[in-house]
Amino acid sequence: MSAFPKIFVAGATGLLGGQIVQALLDRGAPVRALVRPGAGEEKRRSLTALGSDRLELVEGDITDPAERLAEAIGDATTVISAVQGGPDVIVDGQANLLRAAEKAGAQRFIPSDFAFDLTKLDDGDNFMIDWRRQAAAARAGSPLDVISVLNGAFYEVMTGFMGLIDWERGTLSHWGDPDQPLDLTSVADTAAYTASVALDPAATGTLRFAGEVMSMRQFHDAVQRGSGRTLELRHLGTADDLRAEISRQAAVAQNPFDYVALQYQWCMVTGKAKFDRLDNDRYPDVTPVSMTDFVRATAPAH
């Protein structure tokens, strides 16, 4: 028998979801992980490879009828959503998952927020964050205790998806004030904090964590030290210039995902989505990796 209550994880085959499952198992918690029927065999194996008798895989989807999904949740007391997708998943799917959690008798729900401070943003600042804000509004009035875990920007996103670093050209580009502080956290550390929150009976409300708080200038320095490479720091324009560029791209783009990375950058470099405080001290057993060490482990060889 585990000393911890059972935790249900949706999105368990994703990068963050899988690491949340791992972090929960590492802490001794029993986990029931939702695996979509169409999930590839490799994704299933990545979970079964964790090799714990405290891990149970159940097949289903967060869009399943709430009654069926409630059966999958079973006796789990906390439901964690680490799903990714469009509004059909983030808004409608999570609303369905919340209803299923209520039917199953769960007590707490951790939604797929995992971003910078979305409570400080306005509609239109970032269309993907808008979906999470809509999902939050839909949860109002739920009898479950909803706990939001925020982590700033993922290290992995900063060094990849954002398109800030061009290893071939030897540049690191940014918009806005290079000394504006930014909240950044690795996926693994976000998972560790999420597991700690899920197993903390006193956790409630919105909790904010950051592996590092650093400016673009400091980020540039950390990337150089971690990679052992010299990168030219390129300033692309002010935050207002960035906003204008987003508007220009939005007017011509076929797909809003073409400019969503710029929207994320605007939310950060303006300071609008900056955390006012951090809750790291609540879980001193989590020691976040530094950006320098993360880059040292992940930067492409040269």
Side-chain angles (χ1 to χ4, degrees), residues 28-82:
V31 178
R32 181 172 289 133
L34 185 70
V35 179
R36 287 182 295 107
E41 192 57 36
E42 183 177 344
K43 291 186 175 182
R44 290 173 180 266
R45 281 200 300 268
S46 68
L47 286 174
T48 56
L50 299 178
S52 173
D53 59 4
R54 285 178 280 100
L55 174 61
E56 178 186 1
L57 303 187
V58 292
E59 195 167 271
D61 191 280
I62 63 170
T63 60
D64 288 343
E67 292 78 7
R68 186 188 308 166
L69 194 53
E71 291 179 8
I73 293 170
D75 59 348
T77 61
T78 297
V79 172
I80 300 175
S81 172

Side-chain angles (χ1 to χ4, degrees), residues 13-26:
T13 57
L15 177 59
L16 176 59
Q19 295 204 45
I20 290 173
V21 171
Q22 176 72 77
L24 287 165
L25 293 174
D26 287 347

Side-chain angles (χ1 to χ4, degrees), residues 117 147-150 183 193 196-197 200 203-210 275-286:
D117 203 331
I147 310 165
S148 179
V149 175
L150 302 178
D183 302 304
Y193 281 121
S196 295
V197 169
D200 176 2
T204 191
T206 299
L207 296 170
R208 299 164 174 86
F209 305 98
F275 296 150
D276 293 329
R277 61 176 177 79
L278 294 177
D279 295 293
N280 291 35
D281 290 348
R282 188 181 183 99
Y283 306 111
D285 58 310
V286 179

